[in-house]
Amino acid sequence: MMKSRLARVSAIALAVALVPVATSAISQVESDTQAEISRFVDIFERVKTDYVEPVDDDKLVRGAIDGMLASLDPHSSFLDARDFANLRTQTEGMYGGLGLSVTMQDGAVKVIAPTRETPADKAGIKPGDYITHLDGKLIYGGTLDEAVDQMRGEPGSTIKLTIVREGRDKPFDVSITRAIIDLKPVTWEIKDDIGVITIASFTSRVGEEVSKAVQDIEAKLGRKPVGYVLDMRSNPGGLLDEAVAVSDAFLEKGEIVSQRGRHKGDIERYYARPGDVIGGAPLIVLVDSGSASASEIVAGALQDHRRALVMGERSFGKGSVQTLLPLSRTTALKLTTARYFTPSGNSVQEGGIEPDIAVPQLSDPDYKTRMKLRESDLRGHLINEIGLDDKDLEVDKLADPRFSMTTEQLEEKGIEDFQLYYAMATLQRTTMASARLAATRGGLTRSTGATRPLTRRN
């Protein structure tokens, strides 16, 4: 396939040489494009004849394709048979490895986020960590595919990662046992009469799984809980349709998200249908720097419609849509084709979703010093055309007395996850306040002899 493509490129370049540039049939833009193609073929031939060692045609053409797409943005890429199969496997939610989302930055492998409850997460790998060695072998300067291939392997086998973390004086090693990453995209539990639904990734049928989780929670309690927490921390995203389905589950009406392409008319809007799966119950959404793409669509929709209170940290900031364009039965082009916008018209590109209440993860001893990787840190990221506010999104201006406890103090209280603890405490306080308000209104109602039932709007 690569060689046939090269033959077509050569034919185009030959045609350029035979057709006068000055003819009226060729526009200046077409002429410039043909000149660039001709220059590419010239360089290709020079490399083939003069490089110190023989070079395979496929390697040169693949390098040219990868370089072309990398110059666009961090998310466009060519998927060969292996990459295409890997993408399909991850979309289906089961693959072998460590459970890491990684990127390449300046020749180094950098962690975007570990997937929760995977070997990497349990081993303490953090967003922003650099992986410099695998089993003692330096991987700096290699490709991301090579590093990912090495991290994958037989379940039960062990690999040693050398980690460089900001705030640590020296690199340190972490040994991790590989496992089958059979992702359960949606899990749930009941804590203190609160339903906690965790979405690890937006693979197929996540919208259905969220609705089922609500049913299971209410069935186990025998009634509705006092509220819900939708936990999307360290969720790297996934399928747009599933993000729409999850948002729709909690919204009665209105726009969920719009995506806008290259041309003015390339606008597609998605709307909620009537029906709130939790019947208007209080809802808190948790996000952090690892919450990206589909996670941000859900958080942005629920926040803009004031259906949920968003807590945690500013999210990753990936506000672009990638379309999979098949090139053959086994290869495809993953190309950025649109930007998405929240119902209020905001783009999360670069800036991410700003929480309504910023809650630091005090139970993480490194949260103050550890660098957090976001879209704006990636080389070649798309610029937010709307613009960002000139403010420091990372540093609190004043110390907040609510968040003054140390990691040791939290451990003494048995608090392992401060952000979740704070979200649940907020729901409990809201419920108590609503109960007091209902009691007050009930007293007034009885004194006037009215029998109209009390209703509450959230």
Side-chain angles (χ1 to χ4, degrees), residues 90-137:
Q90 291 178 23
T91 302
E92 292 170 355
M94 180 183 293
Y95 61 96
L98 306 179
L100 280 174
S101 295
V102 294
T103 187
M104 184 68 75
Q105 182 170 318
D106 298 327
V109 176
K110 193 170 186 179
V111 176
I112 296 176
T115 304
R116 297 177 70 180
E117 298 302 318
T118 61
D121 181 44
K122 294 175 181 178
I125 303 299
K126 304 289 186 181
D129 284 349
Y130 286 96
I131 303 173
T132 61
H133 296 71
L134 294 174
D135 283 334
K137 181 180 178 181

Side-chain angles (χ1 to χ4, degrees), residues 23 127 197 269 384 457:
T23 59
I197 301 175
R269 300 181 185 276
N384 188 333
R457 296 184 182 274

